[in-house]
Amino acid sequence: MDRPAMASVFRMRHAPATVSGVRSTGQGQADPIIRVNSLGDAIRFVANAYPNYDISAVAITCGDPSIPRLGSLEVKAVWREYGERLTQE
């Protein structure tokens, strides 16, 4: 993910988002139902999910069509660039 794309994600950090594809790593545990308030919250959750969850198939989607679906590599890149600023005003 290039810097302009990451900047777009940062600008949209307060937009509603959904997280799917997160799997539990514990034996006998159900896969989690993730409820987040915003794109920034979704990115923070996924960035901090390891080792409790398998995020290899994660997908974060946002209501804005200009923001592509974010997989685990994109989430890690955006989190490295912006960190906690994604969840702040």
Side-chain angles (χ1 to χ4, degrees), residues 43-44 47-48 75-84 86:
I43 292 169
R44 178 179 58 189
N48 295 312
V75 167
K76 289 174 186 175
V78 171
W79 187 253
R80 239 185 339 268
E81 183 72 21
Y82 294 103
E84 287 293 332
L86 287 162

Side-chain angles (χ1 to χ4, degrees), residues 30-74:
D31 290 337
I33 298 172
I34 312 299
R35 290 186 174 81
V36 293
N37 295 321
S38 67
L39 181 58
D41 288 339
I43 292 169
R44 178 179 58 189
F45 174 84
V46 172
N48 295 312
Y50 183 82
N52 298 318
Y53 300 105
D54 174 4
I55 60 166
S56 60
V58 73
I60 297 176
T61 54
C62 175
D64 188 322
S66 68
I67 304 296
R69 180 188 68 83
L70 302 176
S72 61
L73 293 177
E74 292 85 8

Side-chain angles (χ1 to χ4, degrees), residues 7-25:
S8 292
V9 170
F10 182 73
R11 283 191 301 274
M12 295 301 299
R13 68 190 178 277
H14 299 297
T18 59
V19 179
S20 61
V22 176
R23 305 286 179 241
S24 176
T25 58

